[in-house]
Amino acid sequence: MKNHRRRVGTVSRGIRCPIIREGDNLAQIVTDSVLAAAEEENFSLRDRDVISVTESIVARAQGNYASVKAISDDVRAKTGGGTVGVIFPILSRNRFAICLRGIAGGCRKVVLMLSYPSDEVGNALLSLEAIEKSGVNPYSDVLTLERFRHLFGTVKHEFTGVDYVEYYGNLIRESGAEVEIIFANQAKAILSYTDTVINCDIHTRKRTGRILREAGARLVLGLDDILTSSVDGSGFNEEYGLLGSNKATEDSVKLFPHKCQGLVLEIQEHIRTATGKHVEVMVYGDGAFKDPQGKIWELADPVVSPAFTDGLRGTPNELKLKYLADNDFAQLSGDALREAVSESIRTKDSNLKGNMASEGTTPRQLTDLIGSLCDLTSGSGDKGTPIVLVQGYFDNYTSE
């Protein structure tokens, strides 16, 4: 009798739950929601299923919010409140606008330095064609606002229709600070204007800070240095500060969740107690993928997953089935091919790095891969599924 092989591989399910408020018992709500969905949809949990919880409801349950005033007070205390260079921010009303209001409220003057033709995550100020036509060298040229407008005029974001140059300038003025806007891609260009800098880039922030310090900056802060502790009772994040924050209201931000390792372990234990199954659990934010149309890289959080159980450490260790079929077993077909491929999977090395048969598989962290799947499943709109259950992710062709 032939072994029974499952016909279905990885399945990703969005799970609905109640609207989360500060102080809610999130571990219990997540557990109850997953178990209720399993009963309603008639599926069972298995060992190594992955329960993923979006960072937004974790931060909401923690009450991890901060006001514009708290940001301003922290910036003023840490910079002295004079002229501050604010460099390499992303172009986002949701991700950066409220942070900018807070920063500006803590300074006398802001020198805002925008990268061009796009920001770090791909939001375009300009097209490459416009840069080429202008004769500007983006690697070396520093543009004033006047020269930028002379060369390129008013440029609105492709998707939002916002002129971010004007929008950010107005936000700074409305917050009570003077503003000067320049455009440059070399971090040290800001030091011609001020020696006190907040570099607002996300994934390149450590390199930017090092370049500025080596070039003689008096004070360099990243967004991860602001609100690392509570200011008059505000929320905070010890590791990431303002990085990963989102707009909550016109006067406040929701910060990236902090100290949430205990949450994932608690959910894991709740599921074990209720079902006897050993599941993995993670908190996820933005996925790590790029939109081919708008050229925008989704990952505006400092990491995809700030907390996860031990079974999600590492990278996949997989063989490329099409390589085996086209090369090692090109002469086989049918049951003989299936059995040869299955045997290769069953006997594969524990580390396939450098093995040609693994070429083309994805050497990314498991949390980045699964978190991206979950982000696409839950979406960022009104689906109402801030919990995602991923089943079969660790199965392979031989799984029964």
Side-chain angles (χ1 to χ4, degrees):
M1 182 178 179
K2 294 181 180 180
N3 289 335
H4 172 69
R5 284 180 169 81
R6 289 207 306 271
R7 296 287 183 180
V8 176
T10 301
V11 175
S12 177
R13 287 184 171 91
I15 306 293
R16 294 201 173 111
C17 72
I19 302 296
I20 302 301
R21 295 297 186 191
E22 180 178 354
D24 283 349
N25 185 339
L26 189 57
Q28 193 62 57
I29 290 172
V30 170
T31 302
D32 292 345
S33 298
V34 171
L35 295 178
E39 181 177 2
E40 182 178 307
E41 297 297 319
N42 195 30
F43 64 84
S44 299
L45 295 181
R46 306 189 194 110
D47 289 330
R48 299 214 76 191
D49 285 352
V50 183
I51 296 173
S52 301
V53 184
T54 184
E55 59 84 19
S56 63
I57 65 170
V58 179
R60 196 181 305 149
Q62 292 177 341
N64 202 18
Y65 293 82
S67 67
V68 165
K69 182 180 184 303
I71 298 171
S72 297
D73 289 348
D74 204 31
V75 168
R76 187 179 301 107
K78 289 175 177 174
T79 66
T83 299
V84 176
V86 175
I87 75 170
F88 300 157
I90 64 172
L91 307 177
S92 173
R93 292 168 295 177
N94 175 46
R95 287 288 190 169
F96 188 69
I98 308 303
C99 294
L100 180 59
R101 286 187 59 197
I103 292 169
C107 306
R108 180 184 62 80
K109 178 179 179 179
V110 170
V111 182
L112 179 66
M113 190 172 94
L114 301 175
S115 55
Y116 71 98
S118 66
D119 69 10
E120 178 187 5
V121 298
N123 291 293
L125 273 177
L126 305 165
S127 67
L128 289 173
E129 289 76 14
I131 292 288
E132 291 164 357
K133 185 178 179 180
S134 72
V136 166
N137 183 345
Y139 297 102
S140 60
D141 291 357
V142 179
L143 308 180
T144 63
L145 177 59
E146 291 71 24
R147 189 177 179 208
F148 179 90
R149 292 300 194 197
H150 174 74
L151 289 171
F152 306 112
T154 297
V155 184
K156 295 185 177 181
H157 191 280
E158 178 182 3
F159 299 125
T160 66
V162 173
D163 176 355
Y164 276 96
V165 177
E166 179 182 44
Y167 177 57
Y168 280 178
N170 287 340
L171 279 180
I172 294 168
R173 281 185 285 269
E174 290 166 3
S175 299
E178 299 176 43
V179 60
E180 183 173 1
I181 300 176
I182 61 174
F183 304 82
N185 292 311
Q186 295 290 338
K188 59 187 178 182
I190 193 66
L191 299 181
S192 297
Y193 298 82
T194 178
D195 61 2
T196 303
V197 185
I198 300 174
N199 60 286
C200 302
D201 44 343
I202 305 163
H203 307 292
T204 56
R205 63 188 184 276
K206 291 183 180 178
R207 175 177 180 269
T208 298
R210 174 182 57 78
I211 289 171
L212 289 168
R213 284 186 285 272
E214 289 176 353
R218 180 187 69 84
L219 177 67
V220 180
L221 299 173
L223 288 179
D224 52 347
D225 294 312
I226 300 170
L227 286 187
T228 52
S229 59
S230 181
V231 175
D232 294 330
S234 75
F236 62 96
N237 190 301
E238 306 95 323
E239 185 173 5
Y240 296 119
L242 283 176
L243 284 177
S245 63
N246 287 273
K247 176 180 178 179
T249 69
E250 293 300 328
D251 297 304
S252 66
V253 293
K254 176 192 65 60
L255 299 170
F256 211 47
H258 64 128
K259 292 185 177 178
C260 47
Q261 188 63 29
L263 173 69
V264 298
L265 295 173
E266 189 176 357
I267 294 170
Q268 185 181 55
E269 180 59 21
H270 281 353
I271 294 294
R272 188 198 64 77
T273 299
T275 68
K277 300 301 181 181
H278 179 89
V279 300
E280 305 297 344
V281 185
M282 64 182 284
V283 176
Y284 71 97
D286 277 346
F289 49 83
K290 185 174 181 178
D291 166 36
Q293 173 65 31
K295 315 303 181 190
I296 298 170
W297 186 30
E298 176 70 10
L299 186 56
D301 288 324
V303 291
V304 173
S305 178
F308 49 88
T309 50
D310 286 345
L312 297 176
R313 296 187 185 280
T315 59
N317 188 57
E318 300 173 342
L319 293 170
K320 197 77 167 180
L321 293 192
K322 66 181 181 181
Y323 180 88
L324 294 175
D326 291 344
N327 292 272
D328 294 23
F329 309 122
Q331 76 282 7
L332 301 179
S333 61
D335 288 346
L337 175 59
R338 183 179 65 190
E339 184 53 37
V341 169
S342 298
E343 183 62 18
S344 293
I345 293 172
R346 283 192 291 266
T347 60
K348 67 185 177 182
D349 292 339
S350 60
N351 185 352
L352 292 168
K353 184 175 181 179
N355 188 318
M356 185 62 73
S358 69
E359 185 176 307
T361 58
T362 309
R364 290 165 58 190
Q365 294 295 317
L366 288 168
T367 50
D368 293 345
L369 292 164
I370 299 171
S372 298
L373 171 62
C374 293
D375 189 27
L376 289 167
T377 300
S378 62
S380 57
D382 57 7
K383 288 185 172 60
T385 56
I387 305 163
V388 177
L389 174 66
V390 179
Q391 296 188 291
Y393 191 85
F394 295 102
D395 290 354
N396 60 44
Y397 185 65
T398 68
S399 298
E400 298 178 3

